[in-house]
Amino acid sequence: MPGLESSYGVDSTVENIGRLPPDVFAETCQQILAHLQGQSSVVDLPKICDIFQRAGIDLEWKALQSIIRLLSSNFRTAAKNNLTADQLVARLGEGSRHWAKAVLQVVHQLWSEHGSLIHTYQEAHAMANIGQMVDMQWKLGMAVSSDTCRSLNSPYVSLLLKVADTSGEVSYKSFEMTIPQFQNFHSQFKDISAALETV
């Protein structure tokens, strides 16, 4: 089944998962499930890394990323195919024989609680298929000259947007606007805000 990982390296990732204490594994899954339900804009790897370190678990950053990717991919695929907890656990077992029984029990319990909610959210989100703005930074600058004009003296606004796509990957978009463009941008945001207040 696509999405339920079966490539080289999965067994070592599954073995790393099996070494996690059940409470740490459950918390890691909760972080991923919260993201898949739209309760958080990204899976917070530094936070999960901190949880691992506090529990005395020493994993390389790439190993942690592999765990998050494997779990996210499997949960996302299970939601897309509307799998029950039993079906998800069976598919995981088909993908690798290295899953620890305690890990599969945690997956079963969490998917029983959250699976249908994630399926519903993922279906609705797939129809929109857009990213989410996580953060916006701006600064006011003054362009004093350019290649074609020695005395430009023109103010501008520089924006940096932090955007999470539907998979949770974060990207940055930056652009500059003249003051009239920024005023138009601001006006449109005010209109959006007023429209949202009526909902």
Side-chain angles (χ1 to χ4, degrees), residues 2-76:
L4 292 175
E5 301 289 335
S6 59
S7 62
Y8 174 77
V10 170
D11 285 340
S12 64
T13 301
V14 171
E15 288 171 359
N16 281 336
I17 291 170
R19 293 185 193 109
L20 300 176
D23 60 326
V24 172
F25 176 66
E27 180 140 4
T28 302
C29 288
Q30 290 280 10
Q31 293 284 326
I32 296 166
L33 295 172
H35 167 67
L36 294 176
Q37 289 180 72
Q39 295 172 353
S40 67
S41 57
V42 295
V43 177
D44 191 349
L45 264 77
K47 181 176 182 179
I48 294 172
C49 185
D50 185 52
I51 292 167
F52 279 34
Q53 288 175 347
R54 279 188 279 125
I57 300 162
D58 186 30
L59 272 181
E60 292 180 13
W61 186 255
K62 284 192 173 222
L64 175 60
Q65 287 178 314
S66 294
I67 289 171
I68 302 305
R69 284 189 187 116
L70 180 69
L71 294 172
S72 295
S73 174
N74 286 311
F75 287 143
R76 192 174 283 110

Side-chain angles (χ1 to χ4, degrees), residues 139-154:
K139 68 179 178 180
L140 181 61
M142 178 69 81
V144 290
S145 66
S146 72
D147 291 343
T148 58
C149 182
R150 292 188 187 275
S151 179
L152 192 57
N153 294 329
S154 177

